[in-house]
Amino acid sequence: MSELQKRVATAVVLIPTVLYLIFFLENPEFKIAMSVVLVLASWEWSRLIGLKELPAQAVYIFLALVLAFVSQFLPSALIYLFGGVWWLMAVYLVATYPESEALWEDKLPIKAIIGYAILIPTWLGVVELQAQSPWLMMFVFVLVWAADIGAYFFGRKFGKNKLAPKVSPGKSIEGLLGGLVVSLFIGLLLKNLVGLNELSIIQSIAIFTTVVLFSVLGDLSESLFKRSSGVKDSSQLLPGHGGILDRIDSLTAAVPVYFASTLLFA
């Protein structure tokens, strides 16, 4: 089976599964499903940061589950602002790579904490989004996917200036701007249908723009850690697509930043 055939076959299974989980599971069952995803993503992250032995990986995964459980009993704003602070730090790490690698390379505790700062707010965010409204959850996902698709086509057509050549040489500033325009158009068109009527046009543009820009940062950040680890994909769990982290990298920034930006802008 070719790589393209693997990619298509995986997508045929993955897309209906994700839609079923979002729209047909009650929130307690959805929470369990997302905990399974957290386990897999934590395992991938443990490998990225150099935990090679199964016992060490199991401890890292167990702590992720404990933190996810505890996060439900803390103020949500605290968790999302914690995630937001990490993503602001990530701006610096990506912008100054490879020089910034000295800040975390060979520093296992720092890389372990970064993983929790990425995964725990994401886990809590998707659980709370689905509890609020499956359609709102899909709306946030669509903002990110529209930006990604728009960036691909605008980048291929107009891309000349590299966005972060040392981290991800394929991304361009033109692609980023094109993807942002596409995402804003779709977001403003659909926002009232998912219950965001109370947001003004200015608030909507501020929130949607923040979500899209940080979703790109999520993608770049994972590329940074994969480049540092010398791997192409976070794992091979999803044939033709790489690993769980490869599929959710943009969402790991977009979901917590969506909540943090609603606190700041709305």
Side-chain angles (χ1 to χ4, degrees):
M1 184 180 289
S2 70
E3 197 66 19
L4 178 59
Q5 289 173 322
K6 290 180 183 178
R7 191 174 182 87
V8 171
T10 301
V12 167
V13 174
L14 194 59
I15 292 172
T17 301
V18 170
L19 292 176
Y20 175 80
L21 294 178
I22 293 173
F23 287 99
F24 293 98
L25 288 189
E26 295 297 326
N27 194 248
E29 289 78 22
F30 181 79
K31 191 181 298 184
I32 293 171
M34 291 305 98
S35 296
V36 174
V37 175
L38 176 62
V39 166
L40 297 174
S42 299
W43 171 71
E44 290 180 349
W45 187 265
S46 71
R47 295 168 71 247
L48 276 182
I49 64 177
L51 296 178
K52 304 299 183 184
E53 302 298 326
L54 185 58
Q57 294 172 355
V59 169
Y60 190 79
I61 293 168
F62 175 74
L63 288 176
L65 290 172
V66 170
L67 289 171
F69 177 78
V70 171
S71 71
Q72 302 172 86
F73 305 100
L74 297 174
S76 296
L78 181 65
I79 304 299
Y80 299 132
L81 290 176
F82 168 62
V85 168
W86 150 247
W87 289 113
L88 290 175
M89 294 172 58
V91 174
Y92 174 78
L93 295 183
V94 170
T96 58
Y97 183 81
E99 290 78 10
S100 64
E101 194 172 26
L103 297 174
W104 46 269
E105 188 183 26
D106 299 325
K107 296 179 176 67
L108 181 60
I110 292 177
K111 292 189 287 186
I113 292 171
I114 288 173
Y116 294 138
I118 292 171
L119 296 175
I120 304 308
T122 303
W123 180 87
L124 183 64
V126 295
V127 166
E128 292 199 343
L129 270 176
Q130 200 259 0
Q132 287 183 27
S133 166
W135 288 107
L136 179 59
M137 184 175 182
M138 282 303 301
F139 176 77
V140 175
F141 286 11
V142 166
L143 284 180
V144 174
W145 295 336
D148 190 45
I149 294 169
Y152 174 78
F153 287 103
F154 274 84
R156 289 197 61 175
K157 182 68 175 178
F158 304 108
K160 293 181 181 179
N161 299 288
K162 299 298 183 183
L163 179 63
K166 294 180 181 179
V167 177
S168 184
K171 295 188 184 302
S172 67
I173 294 175
E174 293 82 1
L176 170 64
L177 295 176
L180 178 60
V181 169
V182 172
S183 186
L184 285 176
F185 174 78
I186 292 176
L188 293 173
L189 191 66
L190 299 179
K191 77 180 189 73
N192 289 346
L193 298 178
V194 294
L196 297 179
N197 316 57
E198 74 281 0
L199 293 180
S200 69
I201 297 296
I202 298 300
Q203 288 173 322
S204 298
I205 291 174
I207 292 172
F208 300 165
T209 298
T210 302
V211 168
V212 167
L213 293 179
F214 275 90
S215 74
V216 175
L217 180 64
D219 188 337
L220 290 172
S221 295
E222 202 218 344
S223 296
L224 180 152
F225 285 102
K226 288 193 296 186
R227 186 173 292 274
S228 177
S229 300
V231 298
K232 180 177 181 294
D233 298 314
S234 57
S235 76
Q236 298 300 320
L237 287 175
L238 303 173
H241 290 263
I244 300 293
L245 289 173
D246 297 319
R247 293 299 90 208
I248 67 170
D249 51 7
S250 298
L251 294 172
T252 59
V255 171
V257 166
Y258 167 78
F259 279 108
S261 60
T262 56
L263 295 173
L264 294 174
F265 295 130

